[in-house]
């Protein structure tokens, strides 16, 4: 499923997309594109509004960091992972593989 174009995605940043009834954070860090659930597992806020750095994204509200590869929290107060989605880039288009709900 097409999520966005690379031109819409900041070099070190994130973009919120809504696909198949889900909010997903598409992020780029060091040239690699990732996709994770957009809702922080600690507080119900959008991760795509946080800072991307070195393959992680920081929740803007309480500072939890999540690994963009695995969705695992790497900084408190979050203790639960967020879902991840496989990404394929074809030309300028970013595609995600979503499991059926």
């Amino acid at each position: 499923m097409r999520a966005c174009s690379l031109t819409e995605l900041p070099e070190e940043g994130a973009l919120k997309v809504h696909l198949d009834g889900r909010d997903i954070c598409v992020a780029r860090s060091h040239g690699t594109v990732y996709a994770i659930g957009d809702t922080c597992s600690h507080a119900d806020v959008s991760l795509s509004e946080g800072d991307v750095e070195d393959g992680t994204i920081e929740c803007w509200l309480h500072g939890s960091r999540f690994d963009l590869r695995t969705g695992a929290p790497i900084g408190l107060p979050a203790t639960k992972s967020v879902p991840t989605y496989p990404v394929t880039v074809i030309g300028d288009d970013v595609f995600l593989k979503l499991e059926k709900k």
Side-chain angles (χ1 to χ4, degrees):
M1 186 172 288
R2 185 182 182 281
C4 63
S5 70
L6 282 177
T7 55
E8 295 174 86
L9 198 56
E11 287 294 327
E12 279 293 307
L15 174 72
K16 179 180 183 175
V17 297
H18 187 77
L19 297 173
D20 195 31
R22 300 171 232 203
D23 288 331
I24 299 171
C25 171
V26 180
R28 182 163 35 177
S29 182
H30 298 294
T32 302
V33 179
Y34 305 92
I36 64 173
D38 190 55
T39 305
C40 178
S41 62
H42 170 257
D44 190 22
V45 298
S46 177
L47 288 175
S48 59
E49 296 176 23
D51 292 325
V52 174
E53 182 180 327
D54 293 328
T56 67
I57 191 163
E58 182 180 56
C59 177
W60 62 268
L61 186 59
H62 295 118
S64 294
R65 281 207 165 273
F66 294 88
D67 186 311
L68 288 169
R69 291 169 294 140
T70 65
I74 54 175
L76 294 173
T79 58
K80 294 180 184 173
S81 295
V82 294
T84 59
Y85 304 95
V87 175
T88 304
V89 178
I90 301 173
D92 186 50
D93 294 314
V94 177
F95 294 89
L96 307 183
K97 182 177 181 181
L98 304 179
E99 299 292 323
K100 297 280 185 200
K101 280 185 155 184

